Amino acid sequence: MKKTLRFYCFAAIGILFILLFSCSMKRESIGSHNKIIVVADSTVWAAVQDELKAALERITYTPQPEPIFTLLQKNPDELNRITRLPNILILGELQSQGEMKKLLDKLLSKESVARIEKDEAFLFQKKDAWALDQMLAVMASRDVETLKKNILEQSDKIFDVFDAFNESKTFRTIFSQLEQKDLESTLMSEHGWSVRVPHDYHVAVDSSELRYVWLRRFSPQRWFSAYWEQVDDPSVLSKEWLLQKRAAFVKEFYDGDYVYQDTLITVREKVVDFDGRYAIRLDGVWQNDKHVMGGPFRTYGFYNESDARIYLLDI
């Protein structure tokens, strides 16, 4: 009898362990990282959807205009069916009722609610909330008008939450396979800088004289290039300086590429943090009439104090 009882006790403990362990295990998120599911009551969505789309459905030119993210609204009672999607945004007001009220009560602490009521906080985020490789953001205000105001005032911050998460996903995917450690060491020994190089890139140009390195891959075509220049005055770094230097090596190596601009498509400038350094980021469109090709480009420029160089990185 004691043996049987002990067996059942161990069996019960084992089952409990399995249940607890299973509950703690999260599966990988599934679905497009360019879609953001917005969980909101229909009335709130109708009131703020224009402002939220302006914040998140920003247009990039490839050269065709395409939104960086696409928003899809779902009602709160549909949440259980979408918890494995990679980008989820909970949108509500503290005056919400029904399922949205239950959801906000579950997700927000008393301290968070108090800050929201004072309009001291509005945007909260959590990675891997219900699935691995997932971004959950909660945006809540005391009423719809305050919610709309906060979306307008903090549109860049809202966008950066999902954009940074999307970039980190891309980074992990790029380096999920082999990395060219030998090439990385060669770049450091010959030029005094290095980057992580995925397995399928090759060296197209490597010139100490021109202070220029171009790494390429095919199928699909991608590239990374770096130009560097020692300067006495780091304040020369500007949008104009970057475009001038970029145009020089593009003319030399890119067989007819040029920066395309018109009344709609321009080179957009943004000051960003690049690994702790002040940097200028340019986003634009290149075109090649000879090969009937075109697409987006992104250029970073920053000053590195340790070697007194300005670096231009182009992708």
Side-chain angles (χ1 to χ4, degrees), residues 16-56:
L16 179 61
F17 176 79
I18 291 171
L19 288 173
L20 291 173
F21 186 71
S22 299
C23 290
S24 66
M25 290 180 64
K26 295 176 182 176
R27 293 182 292 176
E28 289 283 342
S29 63
I30 54 175
S32 171
H33 277 256
N34 300 112
K35 290 184 179 179
I36 300 175
I37 306 302
V38 182
V39 180
D41 287 329
S42 57
T43 53
V44 172
W45 173 248
V48 303
Q49 65 172 311
D50 290 342
E51 290 77 12
L52 193 58
K53 286 182 177 181
L56 289 169

Side-chain angles (χ1 to χ4, degrees), residues 128-310:
D128 304 338
W130 296 307
L132 298 177
D133 198 20
Q134 179 187 72
M135 172 55 69
L136 169 67
V138 178
M139 295 198 312
S141 296
R142 58 195 176 206
D143 52 50
V144 171
E145 288 306 314
T146 307
L147 184 63
K148 182 182 292 190
K149 172 187 72 73
N150 286 330
I151 292 172
L152 286 170
E153 292 178 353
Q154 301 191 47
S155 60
D156 287 343
K157 186 175 181 180
I158 297 166
F159 178 81
D160 287 344
V161 167
F162 290 100
D163 188 48
F165 177 70
N166 203 28
E167 284 192 359
S168 68
K169 165 67 175 177
T170 302
F171 184 84
R172 291 194 301 274
T173 301
I174 288 174
F175 293 105
S176 61
Q177 300 186 47
L178 296 177
E179 189 174 340
Q180 299 189 57
K181 298 288 188 180
D182 290 344
L183 177 54
E184 294 167 8
S185 298
T186 299
L187 291 172
M188 177 59 73
S189 62
E190 293 187 359
H191 304 305
W193 59 266
S194 185
V195 292
R196 295 180 65 184
V197 184
H199 72 287
D200 51 356
Y201 277 69
H202 74 276
V203 178
V205 178
D206 185 349
S207 173
S208 296
E209 181 182 356
L210 298 175
R211 304 183 302 280
Y212 180 71
V213 170
W214 182 18
L215 307 178
R216 297 186 68 182
R217 66 165 287 188
F218 297 95
S219 299
Q221 182 169 250
R222 298 287 186 268
W223 75 87
F224 165 85
S225 63
Y227 169 82
W228 61 99
E229 183 175 315
Q230 203 150 16
V231 296
D232 296 323
D233 181 12
S235 68
V236 299
L237 176 63
S238 65
K239 174 183 177 180
E240 292 71 26
W241 188 93
L242 291 172
L243 288 175
Q244 178 188 2
K245 298 298 180 180
R246 185 184 188 278
F249 64 72
V250 164
K251 182 179 180 180
E252 178 74 20
F253 299 110
Y254 285 30
D255 195 25
D257 285 12
Y258 63 92
V259 174
Y260 177 83
Q261 298 191 75
D262 60 23
T263 55
L264 289 177
I265 302 175
T266 60
V267 177
R268 302 179 303 282
E269 177 183 10
K270 185 177 182 180
V271 173
V272 297
D273 178 275
F274 192 96
D275 197 23
R277 302 175 182 86
Y278 168 91
I280 295 175
R281 189 184 80 191
L282 304 180
D283 289 283
V285 171
W286 63 271
Q287 188 158 305
N288 189 306
D289 297 334
K290 177 180 178 181
H291 298 288
V292 195
M293 299 170 65
F297 73 86
R298 174 169 288 182
T299 299
Y300 291 92
F302 60 88
Y303 176 73
N304 189 51
E305 189 173 355
S306 63
D307 56 12
R309 291 174 173 177
I310 289 180

Side-chain angles (χ1 to χ4, degrees), residues 72-130:
L72 182 62
Q73 186 263 340
K74 295 290 184 181
N75 293 321
D77 57 8
E78 300 177 88
L79 180 63
N80 288 338
R81 291 186 289 173
I82 60 173
T83 52
R84 283 192 66 191
L85 296 178
N87 296 318
I88 300 175
L89 171 58
I90 310 294
L91 183 68
E93 55 173 334
L94 295 184
Q95 299 176 9
S96 299
Q97 300 297 319
E99 292 299 319
M100 179 53 73
K101 176 176 172 53
K102 294 177 184 177
L103 183 56
L104 292 178
D105 287 345
K106 184 183 297 184
L107 294 174
L108 298 173
S109 66
K110 291 181 179 179
E111 292 78 10
S112 297
V113 171
R115 294 183 65 203
I116 292 170
E117 288 175 339
K118 297 176 183 178
D119 199 22
E120 295 176 349
F122 147 77
L123 175 61
F124 307 86
Q125 63 186 80
K126 181 176 176 58
K127 292 181 180 179
D128 304 338
W130 296 307

